[in-house]
Amino acid sequence: MAVLTATEIQNTYAEALKLQTAGNREAALKIYLDIIKDHPRVAEAQYQIGVIHMAENRFTRAIPHLEAAAQLKPGEGAIWKIWTEAVALGGDAAAEETYLRLLKSAPVPVNIKLALQDRFGARRSSTRPATRGVPPAEMRRLLGMMEASRPAEAEQFAARLLIAHPGSAPVLNILATAQAVQGKAAQADAAFRKAIAADPGYAEAHDNFGRFLIDLRREDEAVRHFREAVILAPGLPSALVNFASALTRSGNSEPALVLLERAERAGVDSAPLHMAIGNVRMRTKNYAGAEEAFARALEVSNGKVIEAIGMLAQAQARIGKDDEALANFNRALELDKDSPVATAGKATLLQAFGDFEEADVLFRRSFELDPDNGENYRVFIASHKTKPGDPIIDQMLRQYENPRLSVTDRMNLGFALAKALEDTKDYGRVFHYLDEANRLMWAASPHNMAARRKVVDMTKSAYADFDWHGASIEGATDYAPIFVTGMPRSGTTLVEQIIASHSTVAGAGEVGEAAQSAHRFLADGKNARAVGEIPAAEIADLGREMERILRARRPEAERVTDKSIQSYMHLGLIRLAMPNARFVVVRRDPRDNLLSIYKNKFPEDTHQYAYDQRELVRYYGTFVEMIDFWRELVPDWFYEVQYEELVANPEEETRKLIAACGLDWEDACLSFHENKRKIETLSVYQVRQPITKSSVKGWQRYEKELKPMLDALREGGYVAD
């Protein structure tokens, strides 16, 4: 952007503000960032950037822009208000120090300044609600009733106190809590609201009300109160944990971790804290760290938190400690046969090993224990072949229409219903639920195609103009993994299952570390190192690091497969670092491939392009571009499998595949569906069945509904008709 005049800045700012007001925050953000790139002293743009980041729960990113705005216009109360909130929600010690130092000299009223200072000092961990003259001894007596688990008595006593001291916020808070414990939801709701109305700055009331709302599955409303509690008392332990947990459930793991680390630094060492840390680590795929956190939650609670045992088992299952995981699921169920976490977790583990019959029983039990949990239905349906008249359909439809259902649960149920209806050949109703499920996913986590485009261009630039065949890496490992890669839902799990059925090969599933290691190795901030400029010794070290990771997964195996979708991005570098590695790229008719992607929900923070038909095609184009790139440079370094040819001629194509992997033929590769290894992908059921052609040309059933995708595929030249 050229340097703007004052009038141009004003007009550009107005354009961005219009977009922001209309709800198009990201487009507005881009314009504001363009403004401050050359005009950093435009306080209004800095302020609005902070506002947008705060609205998107990017608290840490908001702080420097709000600081800049406050320094430019130190007398603006609106700037101080939201900067205070940003520091309370996402600030570390350094951010607080800067904030307090600038506040000290800011031209704001003294009473406001003192109140803001106290928020990070005397009132950091608790607030002082308006008691309306309730004697301290009476408050202690009321609290004692609750601590002694006498909520009915506490309710009656609180009601008497309120007659003498109407509007006492802490008494109203305890009254609401006592009513909630007794299941008096309507009365508790009203009492919590009165407590907050009596003293809007009462952090503990916001926190308690949030927990009450969570129990009622009113997640969005609860999050607002947890957030307000942390704003009012940035060190209130329960509020930090509760808000972080809510952020984690909504997919905002980064700000959640900031809050939890703050609680840890303050010396909190509670089971709820470690449970919350474990949940964040599960969401960010740090399963070993999650295992550690859940184990600590058990330790500090003396083994009394049964949910921690179930979550510990889930973490162990994700890192391949399957025997320990199963033992812990059973341990949790022995302590509480009605544990929803252990019931659903054990069902999922059994499903991964192909024990669909026992998993079916446990899943159905999980529906009774946790009827609003849409994810349990979606995971169950993946291995359940629904038949016409199956009562599971009506059961899911009733839950789907439940007005209390959270957005996340409705989204999961939408995917489950679409799959069940397709199973029963009720094709006319499939997209009613499928489009809505995808819309909800897209709204929660839209894909940034510009970022993807940048990564592809950067990667190609780093790998261009290099003599791949002439390069030799001294000291490179002779380890020989087999990487199976391609678009998701293209048949990669099937191909891996075939290869892993060979007696000398073990399937490691979606390890993913090779592609991630290669990307980190290549990238240097915003740019990428040209491969020709990287010392051979570093590349050899990269190969040995990849070997260490893969060997840790299956240490007993002679050969191992890694079905990592993104391996194709760094095919050349991985092969250079591991010269004996083999690559298999799986291709499928993009109409069937992209439809299959659109029909499924993927793990959080992965494949975010999957939930919009045209975005799917744009992303598919970058996949084709990268494969074409490698085919031009190193066509002999990978073998391509066409899914349609594999299912049409299984023996002929399987023999070619096994030979391309450098393996001797074994008949077991044709009986891949009998392999009992663990499968943790969306194809958990399909790969346990013999090869079928049933999914070929499945897109033709939905030509009308798929028009955006089909039009985009034709426009891109990816299909001829």
Side-chain angles (χ1 to χ4, degrees):
M1 173 181 275
V3 177
L4 302 175
T5 65
T7 300
E8 287 171 334
I9 291 172
Q10 188 175 8
N11 292 339
T12 304
Y13 177 83
E15 176 191 350
L17 192 59
K18 185 176 179 181
L19 287 168
Q20 184 179 350
T21 304
N24 194 347
R25 293 186 188 125
E26 295 307 315
L29 178 62
K30 185 177 185 305
I31 295 174
Y32 291 135
L33 289 170
D34 283 341
I35 291 173
I36 67 166
K37 182 178 179 182
D38 293 311
H39 306 277
R41 296 188 62 77
V42 179
E44 293 81 1
Q46 296 279 15
Y47 170 73
Q48 296 297 352
I49 291 169
V51 168
I52 291 173
H53 282 317
M54 288 292 287
E56 297 295 331
N57 291 326
R58 300 188 292 250
F59 314 127
T60 303
R61 291 168 67 179
I63 290 172
H65 297 286
L66 295 170
E67 178 187 336
Q71 294 207 58
L72 291 165
K73 292 196 171 182
E76 287 287 343
I79 296 174
W80 280 101
K81 178 181 183 300
I82 196 166
W83 187 19
T84 302
E85 294 178 2
V87 174
L89 293 167
D92 57 13
E96 282 188 24
E97 190 278 330
T98 299
Y99 166 84
L100 291 170
R101 175 171 50 80
L102 292 174
L103 176 64
K104 189 174 182 180
S105 59
V108 297
V110 173
N111 61 325
I112 294 177
K113 187 180 296 188
L114 291 174
L116 294 178
Q117 287 175 344
D118 282 351
R119 189 173 300 186
F120 297 95
R123 300 188 184 185
R124 169 186 290 278
S125 299
S126 63
T127 53
R128 300 169 190 167
T131 66
R132 298 288 192 271
V134 177
E138 299 286 69
M139 282 299 305
R140 288 193 296 272
R141 181 181 172 191
L142 180 59
L143 285 168
M145 292 175 185
M146 289 299 295
E147 291 169 357
S149 299
R150 304 199 309 265
E153 188 179 343
E155 180 186 12
Q156 293 174 3
F157 187 51
R160 291 200 299 272
L161 285 175
L162 287 169
I163 294 172
H165 308 278
S168 173
V171 174
L172 283 163
N173 178 42
I174 296 172
L175 171 67
T177 304
Q179 290 168 333
V181 169
Q182 297 174 80
K184 299 178 179 180
Q187 296 97 313
D189 188 296
F192 274 127
R193 293 184 190 280
K194 287 179 182 177
I196 290 168
D199 188 346
Y202 187 7
E204 290 82 353
H206 284 285
D207 186 35
N208 290 337
F209 191 25
R211 279 184 285 186
F212 167 75
L213 292 167
I214 287 290
D215 290 339
L216 296 182
R217 289 189 172 273
R218 287 155 60 182
E219 180 89 12
D220 292 342
E221 193 177 355
V223 167
R224 292 195 293 273
H225 286 283
F226 289 144
R227 175 174 169 143
E228 187 65 18
V230 175
I231 287 171
L232 293 167
L236 180 61
S238 60
L240 289 170
V241 172
N242 289 330
F243 186 40
S245 297
L247 288 170
T248 302
R249 286 190 295 271
S250 63
N252 293 295
S253 301
E254 184 178 339
L257 196 56
V258 170
L259 297 170
L260 295 171
E261 288 173 347
R262 182 189 302 168
E264 275 196 301
R265 287 196 303 272
V268 178
D269 185 24
S270 67
L273 171 68
H274 295 297
M275 288 294 293
I277 292 171
N279 286 325
V280 170
R281 290 174 178 172
M282 288 291 284
R283 288 292 293 251
T284 56
K285 300 178 179 59
N286 177 8
Y287 301 121
E291 180 188 26
E292 179 183 342
F294 293 132
R296 181 60 184 163
L298 272 176
E299 184 180 350
V300 298
S301 69
N302 295 318
K304 294 179 181 179
V305 181
I306 296 172
E307 184 183 357
I309 305 173
M311 291 306 300
L312 173 64
Q314 288 195 19
Q316 290 169 331
R318 298 309 298 265
I319 55 178
K321 295 182 177 180
D322 299 315
D323 291 340
E324 292 177 54
L326 187 59
N328 276 318
F329 281 135
N330 289 334
R331 174 187 168 198
L333 290 170
E334 286 169 7
L335 293 169
D336 179 8
K337 63 182 178 57
D338 295 332
S339 167
V341 170
T343 302
K346 183 178 178 181
T348 304
L349 180 61
L350 293 174
Q351 182 192 59
F353 279 105
D355 189 349
F356 300 130
E357 188 173 339
E358 187 175 351
D360 185 291
V361 173
L362 287 167
F363 274 125
R364 291 182 188 277
R365 176 63 178 145
S366 77
F367 304 154
E368 297 172 8
L369 297 171
D370 193 5
D372 293 340
N373 189 319
E375 184 174 10
N376 288 346
Y377 286 99
R378 181 182 58 78
V379 176
F380 164 71
I381 286 294
S383 62
H384 178 71
K385 195 68 174 177
T386 314
K387 294 181 173 60
D390 191 326
I392 191 66
I393 295 178
D394 287 338
Q395 185 176 346
M396 291 193 295
L397 285 170
R398 285 193 299 272
Q399 290 304 118
Y400 189 82
E401 299 302 329
N402 182 353
R404 295 190 315 158
L405 206 63
S406 71
V407 169
T408 300
D409 289 318
R410 180 165 282 104
M411 172 272 297
N412 276 300
L413 271 167
F415 281 114
L417 277 164
K419 196 267 184 183
L421 292 168
E422 184 170 71
D423 282 349
T424 63
K425 298 183 169 52
D426 191 353
Y427 302 126
R429 290 203 289 167
V430 168
F431 268 73
H432 172 77
Y433 299 100
L434 189 57
D435 278 339
E436 178 64 6
N438 278 283
R439 184 192 68 78
L440 293 173
M441 279 299 297
W442 182 263
S445 186
H447 181 244
N448 186 342
M449 193 62 209
R452 166 67 176 176
R453 180 71 263 168
K454 186 173 182 180
V455 168
V456 170
D457 290 342
M458 180 183 75
T459 303
K460 288 171 63 179
S461 175
Y463 290 147
D465 303 320
F466 181 71
D467 181 9
W468 291 95
H469 287 98
S472 178
I473 303 301
E474 185 177 348
T477 176
D478 60 0
Y479 191 57
I482 301 168
F483 292 96
V484 180
T485 185
M487 288 289 289
R489 308 298 298 161
S490 62
T492 51
T493 301
L494 170 61
V495 169
E496 185 193 32
Q497 181 80 337
I498 291 170
I499 299 169
S501 296
H502 195 279
S503 64
T504 66
V505 181
E510 294 188 24
V511 181
E513 288 292 339
Q516 292 176 29
S517 296
H519 180 76
R520 290 191 296 265
F521 179 80
L522 192 71
D524 179 18
K526 296 181 180 180
N527 303 308
R529 300 186 290 175
V531 68
E533 298 174 0
I534 301 174
E538 288 188 30
I539 296 175
D541 288 343
L542 173 66
R544 285 190 288 272
E545 174 62 14
M546 293 177 186
E547 176 186 0
R548 183 193 64 76
I549 292 168
L550 289 170
R551 282 194 187 277
R553 285 297 184 99
R554 299 304 297 265
E556 81 290 351
E558 182 179 333
R559 301 283 297 276
V560 67
T561 59
D562 179 358
K563 192 196 81 70
S564 300
I565 296 299
Q566 291 293 322
S567 296
Y568 68 84
M569 289 292 294
H570 301 280
L571 188 154
L573 177 59
I574 297 172
R575 171 69 185 264
L576 204 63
M578 308 178 84
N580 294 327
R582 302 284 179 127
F583 284 86
V584 178
V585 177
V586 186
R587 306 292 295 269
R588 185 181 182 186
D589 183 320
R591 293 165 293 193
D592 282 332
N593 193 171
L594 302 191
L595 168 60
S596 187
I597 294 173
Y598 192 69
K599 288 193 298 185
N600 285 281
K601 187 252 181 191
F602 293 87
E604 285 76 10
D605 305 321
T606 66
H607 307 297
Q608 292 169 306
Y609 57 86
Y611 309 109
D612 177 86
Q613 290 192 31
R614 284 192 166 269
E615 190 80 347
L616 265 169
V617 177
R618 285 188 281 270
Y619 189 93
Y620 176 75
T622 64
F623 163 73
V624 172
E625 183 180 337
M626 285 304 302
I627 298 303
D628 288 346
F629 174 78
W630 290 119
R631 189 183 296 108
E632 182 178 345
L633 294 176
V634 287
D636 54 332
W637 281 14
F638 61 99
Y639 177 75
E640 292 187 72
V641 172
Q642 188 65 39
Y643 176 80
E644 289 76 13
E645 293 176 7
L646 176 61
V647 299
N649 305 293
E651 181 166 355
E652 178 184 350
E653 295 301 320
T654 298
R655 285 183 178 275
K656 287 196 249 182
L657 168 64
I658 295 302
C661 294
L663 302 169
D664 294 329
W665 175 253
E666 291 182 357
D667 289 340
C669 296
L670 286 176
S671 303
F672 62 87
H673 53 284
E674 297 174 2
N675 189 332
K676 298 300 183 183
R677 77 181 184 92
K678 186 180 181 183
I679 304 291
E680 295 183 281
T681 73
L682 294 167
S683 301
V684 62
Y685 179 77
Q686 292 96 321
V687 298
R688 309 261 185 217
Q689 317 305 316
I691 280 181
T692 174
K693 303 176 187 177
S694 60
S695 63
V696 175
K697 295 189 178 179
W699 65 271
Q700 292 178 341
R701 302 185 190 112
Y702 307 111
E703 285 192 71
K704 179 181 176 183
E705 293 86 351
L706 290 173
K707 188 177 186 302
M709 184 187 84
L710 295 174
D711 286 349
L713 284 168
R714 293 185 189 103
E715 291 163 10
Y718 303 119
V719 294
D721 57 352

